[in-house]
Amino acid sequence: MEKIKDYFPQMDIMKGIAIFLMVMGHVIPWTLGEPKFLHLNLNTLPQNEAWNSLVYKIIYSFHMPLLFFVSGFLFFKTFDNSKAYLKNLVFKRASRLLLPYLFTGTFLFLARGHWGYWFLQDLFVLNLLAGVLQVFTRRMGAKTEVFIFCIFYFVLFLFNKVTPNLYNLTNGVIVFSNLYMYYPAFIMGVLCRKYPKAYLYIQKEYVSLFALLLYIALFVCKEIGISGGNFFAVLLMPLSMIVFLNAYSIKYQSKCGGGQFV
Amino acid sequence: MWGGAIRIGKYSLEIYILHLFFIMVFPIIGHIMLRIDNCATVVTFQIVYSATLAVVSIVLSIVVADFIKTNKILKRLFFGQ
């Protein structure tokens, strides 16, 4: 019974969408020969390059944060003893994420000559960070908790600004200077599981519609190069699309008789 | 379609790890894409083309993942399970 109660089908749907988009998002640049124009704003490109980078840009604006959101949602668990919780967390996560990261990373390096699977490394670090924050904030109110999570976002943001070349310097082995891009989605997942009322709120139709409109507006602002738009786009575009896709996934499940999931 | 998404979601780690080995690259298609100057045509073409290759890559990843999982040690090393 417990297993049925803890199963969230919408999370599998979102994981499925994200993974499918990830594979599509690898096919497009590899077919085009990984051109630099994919990383430039649309307003700076000739027309055919702009059209060719549109699908890539939409996919890359939210697909990996979507995976981190699901991971954060499934990560959250209540705990009794903080020391035992952290010890257990480190061991379990290392076994589940670091072992495949090191083994398959080495395998890929031997087969293709480059390191890979940065998601596993980022997810491991985020699991530890969220675990420590969960212990640290366990007696605090929701608002203080969110405030502390926000402070850590800026710490990670500054860490990225201080170590922008960490990925290149380590030949792709250490990637977590990019954590600030995925931390908000992961923490949003944790908070949605922890606070069911907030999770129910973001499932409302008008909230999801607003989220979709916000995503479109931010995408346009980013691509036409509005000053300061990039920071808010990187932060809010993935979150708004996650809110929309989450509501859509639950709606689909409800139509098929899936019922409530909180 | 969404049933497929659930199935893919259940294999997300396996697909993430293995799909890199099964993506086929056809540079000639890339040259054709770059010559198209119409937004609707190029977007539709990219979606259909990349989705088709993604399906092939995902199916192959799931088949190989199921095979790897028959060995306990490989299952642990590849997927941490």
Side-chain angles (χ1 to χ4, degrees), chain A residues 79-95:
Chain A
F79 56 95
D80 300 318
N81 184 315
S82 58
K83 272 186 185 173
Y85 167 80
L86 282 178
K87 196 178 166 186
N88 199 24
L89 176 74
V90 173
F91 179 75
K92 274 191 171 177
R93 295 290 94 184
S95 164

Side-chain angles (χ1 to χ4, degrees), chain A residues 181-197:
Chain A
M181 289 194 284
Y182 308 110
Y183 169 86
F186 186 85
I187 292 299
M188 185 177 156
V190 171
L191 293 175
C192 281
R193 183 79 179 272
K194 193 171 182 181
Y195 299 105
K197 277 186 182 176

Side-chain angles (χ1 to χ4, degrees), chain B residues 30-63:
Chain B
H31 292 303
I32 294 168
M33 279 180 192
L34 285 169
R35 282 190 202 141
I36 303 172
D37 221 1
N38 179 284
C39 178
T41 310
V42 77
V43 167
T44 310
F45 185 58
Q46 280 194 351
I47 290 172
V48 172
Y49 170 76
S50 60
T52 307
L53 289 195
V55 168
V56 174
S57 173
I58 286 168
V59 169
L60 289 171
S61 299
I62 291 173
V63 170

Side-chain angles (χ1 to χ4, degrees), chain A residues 7 9 11-13 15-17 19-20 22-28 30-32 37 47-49 51-56 59 64 67 91 95-97 99-101 103-104 107-108 111-112 114 116-120 248 252-253, chain B residues 2-6 8-13 15-31 33-39 42-43 46-47 49-55 57-58 74 76-81:
Chain A
Y7 178 58
M11 294 297 149
D12 273 339
I13 292 179
K15 265 198 294 179
I17 293 170
I19 283 289
F20 192 80
M22 180 197 69
V23 182
M24 280 176 71
H26 282 152
V27 170
I28 293 169
W30 291 2
T31 303
L32 292 172
F37 70 75
Q47 209 173 46
N48 67 327
E49 290 183 355
W51 302 147
N52 269 287
S53 60
L54 194 58
V55 177
Y56 173 87
I59 290 174
M64 290 314 278
L67 272 182
F91 179 75
S95 164
R96 179 82 171 132
L97 300 171
L99 187 64
Y101 170 70
F103 181 76
T104 54
F107 189 72
L108 184 70
R112 292 277 175 95
H114 61 85
Y117 307 120
W118 62 270
F119 172 78
L120 297 175
Y248 190 74
Y252 161 76
Q253 279 297 316
Chain B
W2 299 110
I6 291 178
I8 292 170
K10 286 183 189 297
Y11 277 91
S12 56
L13 178 67
I15 294 166
Y16 174 71
I17 285 171
L18 294 173
H19 81 278
L20 295 172
F21 299 98
F22 302 116
I23 288 180
M24 290 172 277
V25 180
F26 303 105
I28 185 82
I29 304 289
H31 292 303
M33 279 180 192
L34 285 169
R35 282 190 202 141
I36 303 172
D37 221 1
N38 179 284
C39 178
V42 77
V43 167
Q46 280 194 351
I47 290 172
Y49 170 76
S50 60
T52 307
L53 289 195
V55 168
S57 173
I58 286 168
L74 286 179
R76 186 153 189 79
L77 288 172
F78 269 96
F79 310 124
Q81 294 168 353

Side-chain angles (χ1 to χ4, degrees), chain A residues 23-233:
Chain A
V23 182
M24 280 176 71
H26 282 152
V27 170
I28 293 169
W30 291 2
T31 303
L32 292 172
E34 300 199 57
K36 284 183 181 171
F37 70 75
L38 290 176
H39 307 288
L40 300 173
N41 284 347
L42 289 179
N43 68 330
T44 61
L45 299 174
Q47 209 173 46
N48 67 327
E49 290 183 355
W51 302 147
N52 269 287
S53 60
L54 194 58
V55 177
Y56 173 87
K57 281 176 179 296
I58 292 170
I59 290 174
Y60 273 75
S61 66
F62 70 90
H63 78 294
M64 290 314 278
L66 185 60
L67 272 182
F68 279 101
F69 169 78
V70 175
S71 303
F73 189 90
L74 300 175
F75 164 82
F76 177 77
K77 276 179 187 164
T78 50
F79 56 95
D80 300 318
N81 184 315
S82 58
K83 272 186 185 173
Y85 167 80
L86 282 178
K87 196 178 166 186
N88 199 24
L89 176 74
V90 173
F91 179 75
K92 274 191 171 177
R93 295 290 94 184
S95 164
R96 179 82 171 132
L97 300 171
L98 271 195
L99 187 64
Y101 170 70
L102 293 172
F103 181 76
T104 54
T106 310
F107 189 72
L108 184 70
F109 184 77
L110 294 172
R112 292 277 175 95
H114 61 85
W115 200 260
Y117 307 120
W118 62 270
F119 172 78
L120 297 175
Q121 186 188 121
D122 271 8
L123 189 58
F124 177 72
V125 178
L126 276 179
N127 272 222
L128 296 192
L129 184 61
V132 170
L133 284 174
Q134 210 178 315
V135 172
F136 183 66
T137 59
R138 69 188 184 279
R139 291 198 180 91
M140 294 175 183
K143 283 180 185 171
T144 316
E145 191 180 355
V146 171
F147 179 70
I148 287 170
F149 283 145
C150 291
I151 289 175
F152 265 84
Y153 173 74
F154 285 102
V155 171
L156 292 174
F157 184 75
L158 290 174
F159 179 67
N160 174 261
K161 296 297 163 199
V162 175
T163 58
N165 298 319
L166 197 60
Y167 179 86
N168 292 331
L169 287 173
T170 59
N171 209 13
V173 177
I174 297 176
V175 289
F176 57 79
S177 74
N178 66 354
L179 270 183
Y180 83 100
M181 289 194 284
Y182 308 110
Y183 169 86
F186 186 85
I187 292 299
M188 185 177 156
V190 171
L191 293 175
C192 281
R193 183 79 179 272
K194 193 171 182 181
Y195 299 105
K197 277 186 182 176
Y199 188 48
L200 275 175
Y201 181 75
I202 65 164
Q203 292 168 24
K204 290 184 188 295
E205 204 157 327
Y206 70 88
V207 176
S208 63
L209 183 64
F210 173 76
L212 181 64
L213 294 174
L214 180 66
Y215 172 84
I216 295 168
L218 286 167
F219 186 84
V220 172
C221 287
K222 182 173 178 282
E223 294 307 328
I224 62 173
I226 288 182
S227 177
N230 201 42
F231 174 80
F232 292 105

